[in-house]
Amino acid sequence: MTIALGVLVSGSGSNLQAILDRVREGSLDADIRVVIANRADALGLARARKARISAASVLHTDFPQREDFDRELVRLLREAGVEWVALAGFMRILTPEFLTPYAGRVLNIHPALLPACPGLHAQRQQAEHGVRLAGCTVHFVDEQMDHGPIVIQAAVPAFADDDEASLGARILDMEHRIYPQALQWIAQGRVRVQERQVVVAGGARVFSGQFWTNPPLEHPFNG
Ligand code: GRF
């Protein structure tokens, strides 16, 4: 099955690019109907146009209330035939005006292992806290920020000499892998949500020997 996808961006759109690249190479069965940014200068718009995908900017500052902005987004997405929405660095909180018509069909990527470090500057929060494992999360969007059921997470190591930028780059590299993967699972009809649990049909399991520590365990603790 191919999903009719709309992507919302605010900034550079590197996650959008990862999605576009996977669609182009045939590993993600998505028809990207429209890319919408809430900033006219979002680089994501240029990435969409380069891929010959319709791109629009809808400036939240043009709307008196959040709900008005959300209604306009829904109108444009519906007009484009969008069934699933991927937030890719979209820096606005969505209200029920958006989330009711697209209930259970909105995904987001967050650069931390939720529920740790929700909100802004998650990469900085992780670097400053001195976590050993940082990461990223693809989750369904609900009305609370960075909160909905989790589809996939990736862990990356964090080191004492990391800062926001170095750790952020390591996380971003994994974002670009897990977001297209999550969308492909949805396109394949393999994703089911049971309250807070997301079940991916046919998903492989990792077993104890494959779990991560950072720093690595040394002999004899690694046996
Ligand atoms: C990513 O780190 C994403 O997790 C966060 O915002 C950033 C967007 O990056 N929500 P990009 O615009 O996809 O390059």
Side-chain angles (χ1 to χ4, degrees), residues 8 12-15 19 31 33 55 65 74 79 87 106 108 123 131 134 145 148 162 167-168 171 189 193 210:
L8 304 189
S12 107
S14 70
N15 277 289
I19 293 167
D31 177 10
R33 298 290 178 92
Q65 308 276 350
V74 168
E79 195 175 86
L87 309 184
V106 186
N108 182 43
Q123 302 92 334
V131 302
M145 188 171 56
D162 268 321
L167 182 55
I171 294 171
V193 183
Q210 297 168 272

Side-chain angles (χ1 to χ4, degrees), residues 86-98:
L87 309 184
F90 183 67
M91 305 301 284
R92 303 294 300 169
I93 300 211
L94 295 170
T95 69
E97 290 296 321
F98 189 103

Side-chain angles (χ1 to χ4, degrees), residues 80-187:
V82 167
E83 287 166 6
W84 284 84
V85 180
L87 309 184
F90 183 67
M91 305 301 284
R92 303 294 300 169
I93 300 211
L94 295 170
T95 69
E97 290 296 321
F98 189 103
L99 293 173
T100 303
Y102 277 104
R105 286 170 173 260
V106 186
L107 292 171
N108 182 43
I109 183 138
H110 181 73
L113 292 170
L114 291 172
C117 301
L120 291 175
H121 309 301
Q123 302 92 334
R124 191 192 309 165
Q125 290 182 50
Q126 291 167 100
E128 288 179 353
H129 195 87
V131 302
R132 292 298 189 155
L133 291 172
C136 46
T137 304
V138 175
H139 65 94
F140 283 91
V141 174
D142 63 15
E143 280 152 37
Q144 294 179 51
M145 188 171 56
D146 301 326
H147 175 267
I150 292 170
V151 182
I152 181 171
Q153 296 186 302
V156 302
F159 304 110
D161 58 2
D162 268 321
D163 59 14
E164 179 179 5
S166 62
L167 182 55
R170 202 173 301 124
I171 294 171
L172 192 61
D173 182 59
M174 290 310 298
E175 292 185 38
H176 296 163
R177 298 169 194 232
I178 67 172
Y179 212 176
Q181 168 71 86
L183 291 166
Q184 178 62 2
W185 282 332
I186 285 169

Side-chain angles (χ1 to χ4, degrees), residues 192-212:
R192 204 175 70 244
V193 183
Q194 300 173 332
E195 304 201 355
R196 282 216 55 88
Q197 308 295 327
V198 175
V199 180
V200 179
R205 282 175 183 251
V206 288
F207 294 98
S208 54
Q210 297 168 272
F211 287 124
W212 267 51

